[in-house]
Amino acid sequence: MHVTHLSLADFRSYARAEVALGPGVTTFVGPNGQGKTNLVEAVGYLASLGSHRVSSDAPLVRMGAPRAVVRAAVRQGDRQQLVELELNPGKANRARINRSSQVKPRDVLGILRTVLFAPEDLSLVKGDPGERRRFLDELVTARSPRMAGVRSDYDRVLKQRNSLLKSAVMARRHGGRDVDTSTLDVWDEHLARVGAELLGRRLELISALRPLADKAYERLAPGGGPVGLEYRGVPADGGRGEAGGDGGALHADADGAGAGAGVGGGFSPAELYDGLLGALRESRRAEMERGVTLVGPHRDDLVLKLGELPAKGYASHGESWSLALSLRLASYELLKSEGNEPVLVLDDVFAELDVQRRARLAELVVPGEQVLVTAAVPEDVPDVLAGARFTVAGGEVVPE
Ligand SMILES: Nc1ncnc2c1ncn2[C@@H]1O[C@H](COP(=O)(O)OP(=O)(O)O)[C@@H](O)[C@H]1O
Ligand SMILES: [Mg+2]
């Protein structure tokens, strides 16, 4: 797929911008702080309903403006669709498809898919587990837009369960009665049901991603692998694996028996549900002390390895970069292989890489149907990525 037109109103630094785009490579060049990332951030937002830089919408609306509008015409095969999002910080966002009446923002998911590479990606390797959970869940949603609903259900159930736990803690502390634990039982079941669905999708994703990430790494940094992707969480081994030493947590290695065979990387939905429910029951006592939910997909991690060593804390800067790029390239290959070739967005990444990694990355992305690249100076972008070029400066996006 590719974007044929991007239109912004009061998005970030832009009062207005209209950018006609074509398939192939397009580069946006201009000094720092001129609005290059703002442009591609808008593209990413239409694909994921989120920014790769900030977690709330407020900074995306131009300072002083009440709302922002982002619109893109997207072509897939011979089908053209227009998606539009209106960002209303503090209020519900609105969406339209093909200028028709309102739809839910979530309904636009899937019309545009992107895989975005950015300097922030280094935190996939070096950052907290939350970064890797977000990576997994965004890709889970790109593969299956319906999962956006499951993710928000999970967040909602978790929040409700946590507030129940908190009131239990408060009641105890003030010598009051114990809360009715049967209510908590019901929330355990909700959390296990929704959590198992998310968990299953994550595990299945990891199984699919593993060979692709390994292949991408081999092409970016020959001989440096193999890449290992191991899901760490409760209770993804469904009771089959060995218990780890992590305070009773089970270390789930989706490499285990039957990985990739069925739903959830080898685990049936029922096994995941039972495992999760069991783990919640086991941690109930500790949760009643702490007032938060201690097990579930919101606490899990994806452990990235190079050879035998975990990348976090061991990999060099260059290796960490290669690994982060490999995860993005694998995401691209996966979506493509499923018939949803995403738009590739490379936001200022070449400046982060040495000459050899730059050249190899360029070779790997150049076949993409549409590749949007930003760079402060054209010299940072390898020659194979010659294509259309825009200059971004002073709030203007001007074709060269
Ligand atoms: N909500 C906003 N309103 C107005 N200006 C903004 C907003 N958000 C960011 N900017 C401005 O956008 C500029 C950064 O643009 P960006 O696209 O990140 O630059 P670059 O070209 O380096 O990628 C900064 O000058 C910042 O002040
Ligand atoms: Mg930038």
Side-chain angles (χ1 to χ4, degrees):
M1 66 176 61
H2 64 273
V3 176
T4 59
H5 193 93
L6 178 68
S7 169
L8 309 180
D10 290 330
F11 184 88
R12 288 284 198 185
S13 53
Y14 292 96
R16 291 204 68 92
E18 301 291 336
V19 186
L21 296 165
V25 180
T26 300
T27 308
F28 299 94
V29 178
N32 284 326
Q34 296 298 304
K36 304 181 299 293
T37 299
N38 294 346
L39 276 183
V40 295
E41 185 178 37
V43 176
Y45 193 95
L46 284 165
S48 67
L49 304 182
S51 156
H52 68 288
R53 293 196 289 189
V54 288
S55 56
S56 80
D57 286 348
L60 305 180
V61 176
R62 194 166 69 96
M63 192 55 80
R67 70 187 68 85
V69 177
V70 197
R71 195 184 298 130
V74 182
R75 176 170 287 277
Q76 182 164 29
D78 40 14
R79 186 162 187 221
Q80 176 101 6
Q81 292 194 86
L82 192 66
V83 281
E84 181 181 312
L85 288 170
E86 183 185 288
L87 282 62
N88 299 302
K91 286 185 282 173
N93 290 347
R94 303 186 337 154
R96 293 200 302 168
I97 299 172
N98 298 330
R99 300 194 188 278
S100 68
S101 53
Q102 303 284 329
V103 294
K104 283 195 236 87
R106 245 187 251 156
D107 294 333
V108 311
L109 290 171
I111 295 177
L112 176 61
R113 286 179 168 86
T114 60
V115 168
L116 193 144
F117 298 68
E120 289 82 0
D121 286 351
L122 203 55
S123 61
L124 283 177
V125 180
K126 299 186 178 227
D128 294 336
E131 304 283 344
R132 289 174 292 279
R133 289 195 295 267
R134 187 156 63 92
F135 164 75
L136 290 174
D137 291 346
E138 280 181 359
L139 193 49
V140 154
T141 308
R143 292 177 87 194
S144 172
R146 197 185 67 77
M147 290 303 292
V150 174
R151 283 168 67 189
S152 72
D153 285 351
Y154 185 82
D155 292 343
R156 186 174 43 79
V157 173
L158 181 64
K159 226 171 164 179
Q160 269 158 338
R161 189 174 184 277
N162 280 343
S163 70
L164 199 61
L165 284 170
K166 222 163 261 142
S167 49
V169 171
M170 293 309 279
R172 268 207 191 158
R173 234 175 249 166
H174 296 99
R177 323 152 265 119
D178 273 354
V179 290
D180 177 9
T181 51
S182 67
T183 316
L184 212 45
D185 290 344
V186 174
W187 285 108
D188 285 5
E189 283 160 26
H190 285 320
L191 199 73
R193 181 174 44 76
V194 189
E197 186 164 7
L198 184 57
L199 193 54
R201 293 296 184 124
R202 283 187 187 170
L203 293 174
E204 197 229 343
L205 169 66
I206 292 165
S207 299
L209 220 43
R210 190 175 285 123
L212 298 172
D214 191 48
K215 205 167 124 197
Y217 195 91
E218 182 58 25
R219 294 185 66 180
L220 283 168
V227 169
L229 307 181
E230 290 172 15
Y231 194 78
R232 188 84 25 119
V234 176
D237 72 341
R240 285 184 229 168
E242 345 124 86
D246 213 21
L250 301 175
H251 285 193
D253 178 355
D255 255 336
V263 180
F267 305 106
S268 75
E271 283 173 312
L272 294 175
Y273 173 82
D274 290 345
L276 208 43
L277 193 61
L280 284 166
R281 298 266 193 265
E282 271 174 39
S283 61
R284 172 79 65 91
R285 188 195 289 266
E287 290 180 334
M288 297 286 268
E289 305 276 322
R290 309 252 310 259
V292 285
T293 301
L294 295 172
V295 294
H298 64 290
R299 306 277 293 199
D300 294 352
D301 197 2
L302 170 66
V303 177
L304 306 171
K305 291 169 101 176
L306 285 176
E308 291 302 304
L309 294 175
K312 186 174 175 173
Y314 291 86
S316 71
H317 189 73
E319 286 171 330
S320 299
W321 256 115
S322 295
L323 191 51
L325 296 172
S326 301
L327 291 174
R328 295 297 182 198
L329 287 165
S331 307
Y332 166 67
E333 292 295 339
L334 182 63
L335 292 172
K336 186 176 164 184
S337 73
E338 293 172 344
N340 297 310
E341 178 168 354
V343 172
L344 284 166
V345 180
L346 285 83
D347 181 29
D348 219 11
V349 285
F350 290 110
E352 305 276 340
L353 307 175
D354 58 45
V355 175
Q356 203 165 47
R357 277 190 187 81
R358 274 185 199 181
R360 288 181 175 143
L361 177 62
E363 293 291 341
L364 290 169
V365 298
V366 75
E369 180 176 329
Q370 185 172 52
V371 188
L372 307 178
V373 180
T374 76
V377 287
E379 297 77 58
D380 282 351
V381 184
D383 291 341
V384 290
L385 290 175
R389 190 187 287 176
F390 289 86
T391 305
V392 181
E396 302 279 317
V397 186
V398 184
E400 277 185 9

